[in-house]
Amino acid sequence: DEIILRAHTTVREKFPDTLLIIAPRHPVRGAEILELARKAGFSSALESAGRPVTKATDVWIADILGGLGLYYTFSDIVFVGDSLLDTSDGHNPMEAARLSSAILSGPNVASFTETYDILKRDGAAAVTDGEHELARDVISLLSDPRKLAEMRGRAFRSAEREAGVLERAREKLRPLLRTITDGGVIY
Protein backbone atom coordinates (compact mmCIF):
# COMPACT_ATOMS: atom_id res chain seq x y z
CA ASP A 1 0.00 0.00 0.00
CA GLU A 2 2.85 2.38 0.76
CA ILE A 3 4.30 1.79 -2.72
CA ILE A 4 0.96 2.51 -4.38
CA LEU A 5 0.46 5.66 -2.30
CA ARG A 6 3.91 6.97 -3.22
CA ALA A 7 3.23 6.27 -6.90
CA HIS A 8 -0.08 8.11 -6.54
CA THR A 9 1.78 11.15 -5.18
CA THR A 10 3.81 11.25 -8.40
CA VAL A 11 0.76 10.70 -10.62
CA ARG A 12 -1.09 13.58 -8.95
CA GLU A 13 1.77 15.97 -9.74
CA LYS A 14 0.77 15.63 -13.41
CA PHE A 15 -2.91 14.72 -12.96
CA PRO A 16 -4.05 16.40 -9.72
CA ASP A 17 -7.68 15.26 -9.99
CA THR A 18 -6.83 11.56 -10.15
CA LEU A 19 -8.68 9.44 -7.60
CA LEU A 20 -6.97 6.35 -6.24
CA ILE A 21 -9.30 3.57 -5.11
CA ILE A 22 -7.70 0.93 -2.93
CA ALA A 23 -9.73 -2.24 -2.46
CA PRO A 24 -7.92 -4.33 0.16
CA ARG A 25 -8.27 -8.08 -0.15
CA HIS A 26 -9.14 -8.12 3.53
CA PRO A 27 -11.54 -5.24 4.33
CA VAL A 28 -10.47 -5.20 7.99
CA ARG A 29 -7.29 -3.50 6.75
CA GLY A 30 -9.30 -0.43 5.71
CA ALA A 31 -8.51 1.65 8.80
CA GLU A 32 -4.81 0.81 8.52
CA ILE A 33 -4.73 1.92 4.87
CA LEU A 34 -6.71 5.05 5.74
CA GLU A 35 -4.03 5.99 8.27
CA LEU A 36 -1.24 5.35 5.72
CA ALA A 37 -3.04 7.56 3.18
CA ARG A 38 -3.52 10.34 5.69
CA LYS A 39 0.14 10.17 6.77
CA ALA A 40 1.04 10.50 3.06
CA GLY A 41 -0.96 13.73 2.99
CA PHE A 42 -4.05 12.52 1.14
CA SER A 43 -7.65 13.42 1.79
CA SER A 44 -9.02 9.91 2.26
CA ALA A 45 -12.24 8.14 3.10
CA LEU A 46 -13.44 4.66 3.99
CA GLU A 47 -16.39 3.31 2.08
CA SER A 48 -17.59 1.57 5.25
CA ALA A 49 -17.83 4.94 7.03
CA GLY A 50 -20.48 6.02 4.55
CA ARG A 51 -18.64 9.15 3.43
CA PRO A 52 -19.14 9.89 -0.26
CA VAL A 53 -16.35 10.48 -2.72
CA THR A 54 -16.07 14.21 -3.38
CA LYS A 55 -13.85 16.32 -5.59
CA ALA A 56 -11.59 16.74 -2.55
CA THR A 57 -11.10 12.96 -2.10
CA ASP A 58 -7.64 11.80 -3.12
CA VAL A 59 -7.84 8.19 -1.93
CA TRP A 60 -10.99 6.11 -1.48
CA ILE A 61 -10.64 2.87 0.47
CA ALA A 62 -13.21 0.34 -0.70
CA ASP A 63 -13.34 -1.72 2.49
CA ILE A 64 -16.69 -3.42 1.85
CA LEU A 65 -16.93 -6.77 0.10
CA GLY A 66 -18.84 -7.13 -3.14
CA GLY A 67 -18.16 -3.84 -4.87
CA LEU A 68 -15.00 -4.60 -6.80
CA GLY A 69 -16.79 -5.00 -10.13
CA LEU A 70 -18.34 -1.56 -9.72
CA TYR A 71 -14.94 0.00 -9.08
CA TYR A 72 -13.44 -1.78 -12.08
CA THR A 73 -16.29 -0.44 -14.21
CA PHE A 74 -15.43 3.14 -13.27
CA SER A 75 -11.66 2.69 -13.42
CA ASP A 76 -9.75 3.29 -16.63
CA ILE A 77 -6.61 1.74 -15.15
CA VAL A 78 -6.41 -1.04 -12.58
CA PHE A 79 -3.29 -2.07 -10.76
CA VAL A 80 -3.91 -5.67 -9.67
CA GLY A 81 -2.19 -6.00 -6.34
CA ASP A 82 -0.25 -8.56 -4.38
CA SER A 83 2.23 -8.58 -7.22
CA LEU A 84 5.05 -6.17 -6.36
CA LEU A 85 6.71 -7.92 -3.43
CA ASP A 86 8.83 -11.05 -3.80
CA THR A 87 6.61 -12.77 -1.24
CA SER A 88 3.46 -12.31 -3.32
CA ASP A 89 1.81 -14.34 -6.09
CA GLY A 90 -0.67 -11.87 -7.58
CA HIS A 91 -4.44 -11.79 -7.98
CA ASN A 92 -6.72 -12.66 -10.88
CA PRO A 93 -6.94 -9.80 -13.43
CA MET A 94 -9.79 -11.22 -15.51
CA GLU A 95 -12.67 -9.39 -13.81
CA ALA A 96 -10.89 -6.09 -14.45
CA ALA A 97 -10.27 -7.15 -18.06
CA ARG A 98 -13.92 -8.15 -18.57
CA LEU A 99 -14.92 -4.69 -17.38
CA SER A 100 -12.56 -2.96 -19.85
CA SER A 101 -9.85 -1.72 -17.51
CA ALA A 102 -6.28 -1.32 -18.67
CA ILE A 103 -4.32 -3.64 -16.38
CA LEU A 104 -1.04 -3.02 -14.63
CA SER A 105 0.60 -5.51 -12.33
CA GLY A 106 3.84 -6.17 -10.55
CA PRO A 107 6.11 -9.00 -11.76
CA ASN A 108 5.10 -11.54 -9.11
CA VAL A 109 2.00 -13.24 -10.52
CA ALA A 110 2.83 -16.93 -10.08
CA SER A 111 -0.78 -17.80 -9.24
CA PHE A 112 -1.97 -16.40 -12.59
CA THR A 113 1.02 -16.76 -14.92
CA GLU A 114 -0.95 -18.10 -17.89
CA THR A 115 -3.65 -15.44 -17.51
CA TYR A 116 -1.11 -12.62 -17.47
CA ASP A 117 0.77 -14.16 -20.40
CA ILE A 118 -2.44 -14.03 -22.45
CA LEU A 119 -3.27 -10.46 -21.42
CA LYS A 120 0.28 -9.25 -22.07
CA ARG A 121 0.34 -10.99 -25.46
CA ASP A 122 -2.91 -9.24 -26.34
CA GLY A 123 -1.62 -5.82 -25.25
CA ALA A 124 -4.18 -5.69 -22.44
CA ALA A 125 -1.79 -5.75 -19.47
CA ALA A 126 1.66 -4.46 -18.65
CA VAL A 127 4.07 -5.43 -15.91
CA THR A 128 5.51 -2.67 -13.80
CA ASP A 129 8.19 -3.02 -11.17
CA GLY A 130 7.94 -0.64 -8.27
CA GLU A 131 6.72 2.82 -7.42
CA HIS A 132 8.57 4.84 -10.08
CA GLU A 133 7.69 2.51 -12.95
CA LEU A 134 4.06 2.28 -11.79
CA ALA A 135 3.75 6.07 -11.67
CA ARG A 136 5.42 6.35 -15.08
CA ASP A 137 3.07 3.79 -16.64
CA VAL A 138 -0.06 5.40 -15.18
CA ILE A 139 1.07 8.85 -16.34
CA SER A 140 1.86 7.46 -19.79
CA LEU A 141 -1.62 5.98 -20.14
CA LEU A 142 -3.39 9.05 -18.78
CA SER A 143 -1.33 11.26 -21.11
CA ASP A 144 -2.37 9.29 -24.19
CA PRO A 145 -6.15 8.74 -24.22
CA ARG A 146 -5.95 6.81 -27.49
CA LYS A 147 -3.37 4.37 -26.10
CA LEU A 148 -5.45 3.98 -22.93
CA ALA A 149 -8.64 3.31 -24.92
CA GLU A 150 -6.83 0.74 -27.06
CA MET A 151 -5.49 -1.08 -24.00
CA ARG A 152 -8.93 -1.08 -22.38
CA GLY A 153 -10.49 -2.48 -25.55
CA ARG A 154 -7.84 -5.15 -25.82
CA ALA A 155 -8.48 -6.16 -22.20
CA PHE A 156 -12.19 -6.59 -22.88
CA ARG A 157 -11.66 -8.53 -26.11
CA SER A 158 -9.05 -10.78 -24.50
CA ALA A 159 -11.33 -11.56 -21.55
CA GLU A 160 -14.28 -12.24 -23.85
CA ARG A 161 -12.22 -14.63 -25.95
CA GLU A 162 -10.91 -16.45 -22.87
CA ALA A 163 -14.36 -16.64 -21.27
CA GLY A 164 -15.30 -19.35 -23.78
CA VAL A 165 -12.34 -21.57 -22.88
CA LEU A 166 -14.15 -23.41 -20.08
CA GLU A 167 -17.22 -24.08 -22.19
CA ARG A 168 -15.09 -25.31 -25.12
CA ALA A 169 -13.18 -27.65 -22.79
CA ARG A 170 -16.44 -28.92 -21.29
CA GLU A 171 -17.82 -29.69 -24.78
CA LYS A 172 -14.67 -31.61 -25.73
CA LEU A 173 -14.73 -33.60 -22.49
CA ARG A 174 -18.48 -34.34 -22.48
CA PRO A 175 -18.28 -37.46 -24.75
CA LEU A 176 -15.44 -38.87 -22.67
CA LEU A 177 -17.28 -38.22 -19.42
CA ARG A 178 -20.41 -39.93 -20.74
CA THR A 179 -18.34 -42.99 -21.63
CA ILE A 180 -16.73 -43.09 -18.21
CA THR A 181 -20.05 -42.78 -16.38
CA ASP A 182 -21.80 -45.33 -18.58
CA GLY A 183 -23.93 -42.77 -20.30
CA GLY A 184 -24.77 -40.70 -17.24
CA VAL A 185 -24.79 -36.95 -17.70
CA ILE A 186 -22.29 -34.86 -15.77
CA TYR A 187 -22.75 -31.12 -15.61
Side-chain angles (χ1 to χ4, degrees), residues 36-139:
L36 289 171
R38 287 185 175 160
K39 283 182 181 176
F42 293 118
S43 170
S44 308
L46 287 173
E47 180 180 12
S48 62
R51 290 187 47 214
V53 173
T54 68
K55 230 174 166 18
T57 307
D58 302 323
V59 178
W60 175 255
I61 296 121
D63 63 334
I64 294 178
L65 291 175
L68 199 54
L70 177 66
Y71 294 117
Y72 287 158
T73 299
F74 291 115
S75 299
D76 293 328
I77 303 167
V78 169
F79 175 80
V80 181
D82 196 30
S83 59
L84 282 172
L85 305 177
D86 291 338
T87 57
S88 57
D89 290 331
H91 292 303
N92 191 339
M94 279 311 223
E95 184 177 9
R98 274 192 295 276
L99 295 170
S100 301
S101 296
I103 299 165
L104 299 176
S105 152
N108 302 305
V109 293
S111 294
F112 298 96
T113 301
E114 289 179 38
T115 302
Y116 278 100
D117 287 347
I118 290 165
L119 291 171
K120 288 186 296 186
R121 177 201 68 208
D122 291 347
V127 174
T128 189
D129 193 13
E131 136 192 9
H132 301 295
E133 199 170 296
L134 175 59
R136 182 203 65 208
D137 291 348
V138 170
I139 290 168

Side-chain angles (χ1 to χ4, degrees), residues 169-170 172-187:
R170 186 177 292 149
K172 287 183 179 184
L173 290 173
R174 197 164 300 226
L176 176 62
L177 293 173
R178 285 191 179 122
T179 302
I180 292 171
T181 62
D182 223 19
V185 178
I186 296 177
Y187 293 94

